[in-house]
PDB file of all heavy atoms in Angstrom:
ATOM      1  N   ILE A  40     177.081  88.913   2.561  1.00  0.00           N
ATOM      2  CA  ILE A  40     177.011  87.964   1.445  1.00  0.00           C
ATOM      3  C   ILE A  40     176.554  86.610   1.957  1.00  0.00           C
ATOM      4  O   ILE A  40     175.728  85.918   1.312  1.00  0.00           O
ATOM      5  CB  ILE A  40     178.367  87.889   0.710  1.00  0.00           C
ATOM      6  CG1 ILE A  40     178.613  89.182  -0.072  1.00  0.00           C
ATOM      7  CG2 ILE A  40     178.449  86.702  -0.221  1.00  0.00           C
ATOM      8  CD1 ILE A  40     179.964  89.306  -0.638  1.00  0.00           C
ATOM      9  N   ALA A  41     177.062  86.154   3.128  1.00  0.00           N
ATOM     10  CA  ALA A  41     176.664  84.894   3.682  1.00  0.00           C
ATOM     11  C   ALA A  41     175.180  84.902   4.031  1.00  0.00           C
ATOM     12  O   ALA A  41     174.506  83.853   3.774  1.00  0.00           O
ATOM     13  CB  ALA A  41     177.515  84.598   4.932  1.00  0.00           C
ATOM     14  N   GLU A  42     174.661  85.998   4.527  1.00  0.00           N
ATOM     15  CA  GLU A  42     173.215  86.091   4.816  1.00  0.00           C
ATOM     16  C   GLU A  42     172.424  86.014   3.569  1.00  0.00           C
ATOM     17  O   GLU A  42     171.396  85.337   3.531  1.00  0.00           O
ATOM     18  CB  GLU A  42     172.956  87.415   5.550  1.00  0.00           C
ATOM     19  CG  GLU A  42     171.522  87.543   5.992  1.00  0.00           C
ATOM     20  CD  GLU A  42     171.258  88.847   6.728  1.00  0.00           C
ATOM     21  OE1 GLU A  42     172.224  89.418   7.355  1.00  0.00           O
ATOM     22  OE2 GLU A  42     170.113  89.304   6.677  1.00  0.00           O
ATOM     23  N   LEU A  43     172.850  86.690   2.525  1.00  0.00           N
ATOM     24  CA  LEU A  43     172.126  86.651   1.248  1.00  0.00           C
ATOM     25  C   LEU A  43     172.158  85.226   0.613  1.00  0.00           C
ATOM     26  O   LEU A  43     171.205  84.756   0.054  1.00  0.00           O
ATOM     27  CB  LEU A  43     172.666  87.657   0.269  1.00  0.00           C
ATOM     28  CG  LEU A  43     172.455  89.154   0.644  1.00  0.00           C
ATOM     29  CD1 LEU A  43     173.220  90.067  -0.321  1.00  0.00           C
ATOM     30  CD2 LEU A  43     170.937  89.444   0.639  1.00  0.00           C
ATOM     31  N   ASP A  44     173.333  84.600   0.683  1.00  0.00           N
ATOM     32  CA  ASP A  44     173.463  83.219   0.164  1.00  0.00           C
ATOM     33  C   ASP A  44     172.462  82.273   0.903  1.00  0.00           C
ATOM     34  O   ASP A  44     171.909  81.400   0.315  1.00  0.00           O
ATOM     35  CB  ASP A  44     174.912  82.710   0.314  1.00  0.00           C
ATOM     36  CG  ASP A  44     175.849  83.314  -0.703  1.00  0.00           C
ATOM     37  OD1 ASP A  44     175.358  83.784  -1.735  1.00  0.00           O
ATOM     38  OD2 ASP A  44     177.032  83.320  -0.427  1.00  0.00           O
ATOM     39  N   LYS A  45     172.342  82.490   2.198  1.00  0.00           N
ATOM     40  CA  LYS A  45     171.422  81.668   3.001  1.00  0.00           C
ATOM     41  C   LYS A  45     169.977  81.868   2.541  1.00  0.00           C
ATOM     42  O   LYS A  45     169.217  80.923   2.381  1.00  0.00           O
ATOM     43  CB  LYS A  45     171.526  82.020   4.477  1.00  0.00           C
ATOM     44  CG  LYS A  45     170.701  81.170   5.387  1.00  0.00           C
ATOM     45  CD  LYS A  45     170.963  81.594   6.857  1.00  0.00           C
ATOM     46  CE  LYS A  45     170.094  80.844   7.766  1.00  0.00           C
ATOM     47  NZ  LYS A  45     170.226  81.266   9.172  1.00  0.00           N
ATOM     48  N   LYS A  46     169.609  83.097   2.268  1.00  0.00           N
ATOM     49  CA  LYS A  46     168.256  83.427   1.822  1.00  0.00           C
ATOM     50  C   LYS A  46     168.042  82.861   0.378  1.00  0.00           C
ATOM     51  O   LYS A  46     166.989  82.293   0.087  1.00  0.00           O
ATOM     52  CB  LYS A  46     168.023  84.963   1.751  1.00  0.00           C
ATOM     53  CG  LYS A  46     167.895  85.570   3.159  1.00  0.00           C
ATOM     54  CD  LYS A  46     167.692  87.054   3.041  1.00  0.00           C
ATOM     55  CE  LYS A  46     167.561  87.629   4.444  1.00  0.00           C
ATOM     56  NZ  LYS A  46     167.305  89.102   4.351  1.00  0.00           N
ATOM     57  N   ILE A  47     169.036  82.921  -0.475  1.00  0.00           N
ATOM     58  CA  ILE A  47     168.929  82.409  -1.820  1.00  0.00           C
ATOM     59  C   ILE A  47     168.709  80.862  -1.778  1.00  0.00           C
ATOM     60  O   ILE A  47     167.907  80.288  -2.492  1.00  0.00           O
ATOM     61  CB  ILE A  47     170.186  82.771  -2.685  1.00  0.00           C
ATOM     62  CG1 ILE A  47     170.132  84.265  -2.964  1.00  0.00           C
ATOM     63  CG2 ILE A  47     170.234  81.986  -3.964  1.00  0.00           C
ATOM     64  CD1 ILE A  47     171.401  84.793  -3.574  1.00  0.00           C
ATOM     65  N   ALA A  48     169.506  80.194  -0.877  1.00  0.00           N
ATOM     66  CA  ALA A  48     169.351  78.732  -0.753  1.00  0.00           C
ATOM     67  C   ALA A  48     167.977  78.362  -0.313  1.00  0.00           C
ATOM     68  O   ALA A  48     167.341  77.340  -0.790  1.00  0.00           O
ATOM     69  CB  ALA A  48     170.412  78.185   0.198  1.00  0.00           C
ATOM     70  N   TYR A  49     167.469  79.133   0.616  1.00  0.00           N
ATOM     71  CA  TYR A  49     166.073  78.828   1.122  1.00  0.00           C
ATOM     72  C   TYR A  49     165.024  78.939   0.013  1.00  0.00           C
ATOM     73  O   TYR A  49     164.174  78.106  -0.171  1.00  0.00           O
ATOM     74  CB  TYR A  49     165.725  79.845   2.257  1.00  0.00           C
ATOM     75  CG  TYR A  49     164.258  79.797   2.637  1.00  0.00           C
ATOM     76  CD1 TYR A  49     163.804  78.752   3.455  1.00  0.00           C
ATOM     77  CD2 TYR A  49     163.374  80.765   2.208  1.00  0.00           C
ATOM     78  CE1 TYR A  49     162.428  78.718   3.809  1.00  0.00           C
ATOM     79  CE2 TYR A  49     162.053  80.674   2.500  1.00  0.00           C
ATOM     80  CZ  TYR A  49     161.589  79.716   3.362  1.00  0.00           C
ATOM     81  OH  TYR A  49     160.262  79.655   3.674  1.00  0.00           O
ATOM     82  N   HIS A  50     165.153  80.025  -0.862  1.00  0.00           N
ATOM     83  CA  HIS A  50     164.206  80.196  -1.896  1.00  0.00           C
ATOM     84  C   HIS A  50     164.358  79.143  -3.036  1.00  0.00           C
ATOM     85  O   HIS A  50     163.381  78.735  -3.613  1.00  0.00           O
ATOM     86  CB  HIS A  50     164.320  81.609  -2.435  1.00  0.00           C
ATOM     87  CG  HIS A  50     163.756  82.655  -1.485  1.00  0.00           C
ATOM     88  ND1 HIS A  50     162.397  82.828  -1.231  1.00  0.00           N
ATOM     89  CD2 HIS A  50     164.351  83.507  -0.680  1.00  0.00           C
ATOM     90  CE1 HIS A  50     162.222  83.734  -0.314  1.00  0.00           C
ATOM     91  NE2 HIS A  50     163.419  84.195   0.019  1.00  0.00           N
ATOM     92  N   HIS A  51     165.599  78.713  -3.261  1.00  0.00           N
ATOM     93  CA  HIS A  51     165.830  77.695  -4.275  1.00  0.00           C
ATOM     94  C   HIS A  51     165.114  76.380  -3.777  1.00  0.00           C
ATOM     95  O   HIS A  51     164.449  75.715  -4.594  1.00  0.00           O
ATOM     96  CB  HIS A  51     167.301  77.411  -4.531  1.00  0.00           C
ATOM     97  CG  HIS A  51     167.981  78.305  -5.434  1.00  0.00           C
ATOM     98  ND1 HIS A  51     167.601  78.410  -6.763  1.00  0.00           N
ATOM     99  CD2 HIS A  51     168.929  79.248  -5.236  1.00  0.00           C
ATOM    100  CE1 HIS A  51     168.338  79.330  -7.340  1.00  0.00           C
ATOM    101  NE2 HIS A  51     169.154  79.891  -6.483  1.00  0.00           N
ATOM    102  N   LYS A  52     165.227  76.122  -2.529  1.00  0.00           N
ATOM    103  CA  LYS A  52     164.545  74.901  -1.941  1.00  0.00           C
ATOM    104  C   LYS A  52     163.054  75.013  -2.057  1.00  0.00           C
ATOM    105  O   LYS A  52     162.397  74.093  -2.467  1.00  0.00           O
ATOM    106  CB  LYS A  52     164.993  74.702  -0.509  1.00  0.00           C
ATOM    107  CG  LYS A  52     164.413  73.487   0.116  1.00  0.00           C
ATOM    108  CD  LYS A  52     164.906  73.372   1.566  1.00  0.00           C
ATOM    109  CE  LYS A  52     164.309  72.137   2.200  1.00  0.00           C
ATOM    110  NZ  LYS A  52     164.701  72.001   3.618  1.00  0.00           N
ATOM    111  N   SER A  53     162.498  76.207  -1.811  1.00  0.00           N
ATOM    112  CA  SER A  53     161.078  76.443  -1.929  1.00  0.00           C
ATOM    113  C   SER A  53     160.624  76.265  -3.421  1.00  0.00           C
ATOM    114  O   SER A  53     159.600  75.682  -3.670  1.00  0.00           O
ATOM    115  CB  SER A  53     160.709  77.802  -1.439  1.00  0.00           C
ATOM    116  OG  SER A  53     160.966  77.948  -0.106  1.00  0.00           O
ATOM    117  N   ILE A  54     161.404  76.736  -4.314  1.00  0.00           N
ATOM    118  CA  ILE A  54     161.083  76.665  -5.750  1.00  0.00           C
ATOM    119  C   ILE A  54     161.100  75.220  -6.166  1.00  0.00           C
ATOM    120  O   ILE A  54     160.217  74.759  -6.890  1.00  0.00           O
ATOM    121  CB  ILE A  54     162.076  77.533  -6.562  1.00  0.00           C
ATOM    122  CG1 ILE A  54     161.750  79.020  -6.339  1.00  0.00           C
ATOM    123  CG2 ILE A  54     161.953  77.155  -8.053  1.00  0.00           C
ATOM    124  CD1 ILE A  54     162.808  79.948  -6.942  1.00  0.00           C
ATOM    125  N   GLN A  55     162.047  74.473  -5.737  1.00  0.00           N
ATOM    126  CA  GLN A  55     162.114  73.012  -6.053  1.00  0.00           C
ATOM    127  C   GLN A  55     160.873  72.289  -5.529  1.00  0.00           C
ATOM    128  O   GLN A  55     160.368  71.418  -6.239  1.00  0.00           O
ATOM    129  CB  GLN A  55     163.421  72.371  -5.516  1.00  0.00           C
ATOM    130  CG  GLN A  55     164.665  72.841  -6.249  1.00  0.00           C
ATOM    131  CD  GLN A  55     165.904  72.293  -5.605  1.00  0.00           C
ATOM    132  OE1 GLN A  55     165.886  71.740  -4.527  1.00  0.00           O
ATOM    133  NE2 GLN A  55     167.016  72.453  -6.291  1.00  0.00           N
ATOM    134  N   THR A  56     160.485  72.598  -4.339  1.00  0.00           N
ATOM    135  CA  THR A  56     159.268  71.976  -3.809  1.00  0.00           C
ATOM    136  C   THR A  56     158.051  72.292  -4.669  1.00  0.00           C
ATOM    137  O   THR A  56     157.240  71.365  -4.899  1.00  0.00           O
ATOM    138  CB  THR A  56     159.070  72.458  -2.383  1.00  0.00           C
ATOM    139  OG1 THR A  56     160.214  72.172  -1.570  1.00  0.00           O
ATOM    140  CG2 THR A  56     157.827  71.766  -1.730  1.00  0.00           C
ATOM    141  N   LEU A  57     157.941  73.536  -4.999  1.00  0.00           N
ATOM    142  CA  LEU A  57     156.800  73.939  -5.872  1.00  0.00           C
ATOM    143  C   LEU A  57     156.832  73.291  -7.214  1.00  0.00           C
ATOM    144  O   LEU A  57     155.822  72.893  -7.796  1.00  0.00           O
ATOM    145  CB  LEU A  57     156.783  75.477  -5.961  1.00  0.00           C
ATOM    146  CG  LEU A  57     156.437  76.254  -4.734  1.00  0.00           C
ATOM    147  CD1 LEU A  57     156.626  77.730  -4.969  1.00  0.00           C
ATOM    148  CD2 LEU A  57     155.072  75.961  -4.251  1.00  0.00           C
ATOM    149  N   GLU A  58     157.990  73.116  -7.814  1.00  0.00           N
ATOM    150  CA  GLU A  58     158.145  72.455  -9.125  1.00  0.00           C
ATOM    151  C   GLU A  58     157.788  70.982  -9.020  1.00  0.00           C
ATOM    152  O   GLU A  58     157.117  70.455  -9.896  1.00  0.00           O
ATOM    153  CB  GLU A  58     159.529  72.637  -9.646  1.00  0.00           C
ATOM    154  CG  GLU A  58     159.827  74.007 -10.134  1.00  0.00           C
ATOM    155  CD  GLU A  58     161.301  74.214 -10.579  1.00  0.00           C
ATOM    156  OE1 GLU A  58     162.097  73.335 -10.336  1.00  0.00           O
ATOM    157  OE2 GLU A  58     161.562  75.294 -11.217  1.00  0.00           O
ATOM    158  N   LYS A  59     158.091  70.302  -7.917  1.00  0.00           N
ATOM    159  CA  LYS A  59     157.688  68.938  -7.700  1.00  0.00           C
ATOM    160  C   LYS A  59     156.193  68.817  -7.601  1.00  0.00           C
ATOM    161  O   LYS A  59     155.597  67.909  -8.233  1.00  0.00           O
ATOM    162  CB  LYS A  59     158.334  68.397  -6.422  1.00  0.00           C
ATOM    163  CG  LYS A  59     159.762  68.076  -6.536  1.00  0.00           C
ATOM    164  CD  LYS A  59     160.315  67.542  -5.219  1.00  0.00           C
ATOM    165  CE  LYS A  59     161.819  67.363  -5.259  1.00  0.00           C
ATOM    166  NZ  LYS A  59     162.326  66.853  -3.947  1.00  0.00           N
ATOM    167  N   LYS A  60     155.531  69.803  -6.886  1.00  0.00           N
ATOM    168  CA  LYS A  60     154.059  69.782  -6.831  1.00  0.00           C
ATOM    169  C   LYS A  60     153.472  69.993  -8.219  1.00  0.00           C
ATOM    170  O   LYS A  60     152.435  69.348  -8.564  1.00  0.00           O
ATOM    171  CB  LYS A  60     153.558  70.851  -5.880  1.00  0.00           C
ATOM    172  CG  LYS A  60     153.863  70.507  -4.418  1.00  0.00           C
ATOM    173  CD  LYS A  60     153.361  71.620  -3.487  1.00  0.00           C
ATOM    174  CE  LYS A  60     153.660  71.308  -2.106  1.00  0.00           C
ATOM    175  NZ  LYS A  60     153.138  72.341  -1.105  1.00  0.00           N
ATOM    176  N   LYS A  61     154.006  70.869  -8.992  1.00  0.00           N
ATOM    177  CA  LYS A  61     153.507  71.151 -10.329  1.00  0.00           C
ATOM    178  C   LYS A  61     153.674  69.887 -11.226  1.00  0.00           C
ATOM    179  O   LYS A  61     152.716  69.583 -11.936  1.00  0.00           O
ATOM    180  CB  LYS A  61     154.342  72.327 -10.954  1.00  0.00           C
ATOM    181  CG  LYS A  61     153.920  72.683 -12.384  1.00  0.00           C
ATOM    182  CD  LYS A  61     154.825  73.786 -12.899  1.00  0.00           C
ATOM    183  CE  LYS A  61     154.559  74.059 -14.335  1.00  0.00           C
ATOM    184  NZ  LYS A  61     155.392  75.113 -14.859  1.00  0.00           N
ATOM    185  N   LYS A  62     154.784  69.145 -11.171  1.00  0.00           N
ATOM    186  CA  LYS A  62     154.972  67.966 -11.908  1.00  0.00           C
ATOM    187  C   LYS A  62     153.937  66.861 -11.497  1.00  0.00           C
ATOM    188  O   LYS A  62     153.409  66.182 -12.318  1.00  0.00           O
ATOM    189  CB  LYS A  62     156.382  67.417 -11.772  1.00  0.00           C
ATOM    190  CG  LYS A  62     157.422  68.221 -12.554  1.00  0.00           C
ATOM    191  CD  LYS A  62     158.788  67.653 -12.382  1.00  0.00           C
ATOM    192  CE  LYS A  62     159.848  68.474 -13.102  1.00  0.00           C
ATOM    193  NZ  LYS A  62     161.179  67.945 -12.945  1.00  0.00           N
ATOM    194  N   ALA A  63     153.712  66.809 -10.212  1.00  0.00           N
ATOM    195  CA  ALA A  63     152.698  65.816  -9.751  1.00  0.00           C
ATOM    196  C   ALA A  63     151.364  66.132 -10.274  1.00  0.00           C
ATOM    197  O   ALA A  63     150.616  65.170 -10.636  1.00  0.00           O
ATOM    198  CB  ALA A  63     152.698  65.852  -8.180  1.00  0.00           C
ATOM    199  N   ILE A  64     151.014  67.402 -10.371  1.00  0.00           N
ATOM    200  CA  ILE A  64     149.737  67.755 -10.936  1.00  0.00           C
ATOM    201  C   ILE A  64     149.639  67.453 -12.397  1.00  0.00           C
ATOM    202  O   ILE A  64     148.687  66.865 -12.892  1.00  0.00           O
ATOM    203  CB  ILE A  64     149.431  69.274 -10.711  1.00  0.00           C
ATOM    204  CG1 ILE A  64     149.163  69.502  -9.207  1.00  0.00           C
ATOM    205  CG2 ILE A  64     148.226  69.720 -11.480  1.00  0.00           C
ATOM    206  CD1 ILE A  64     149.132  71.001  -8.788  1.00  0.00           C
TER     207      ILE A  64
END
Side-chain angles (χ1 to χ4, degrees):
I40 289 172
E42 184 179 334
L43 291 174
D44 285 339
K45 184 178 175 183
K46 289 180 181 181
I47 290 170
Y49 169 78
H50 289 287
H51 278 296
K52 184 178 176 183
S53 297
I54 290 169
Q55 289 174 350
T56 302
L57 293 172
E58 286 176 349
K59 286 180 185 177
K60 288 181 181 181
K61 180 181 173 182
K62 285 181 184 178
I64 291 170

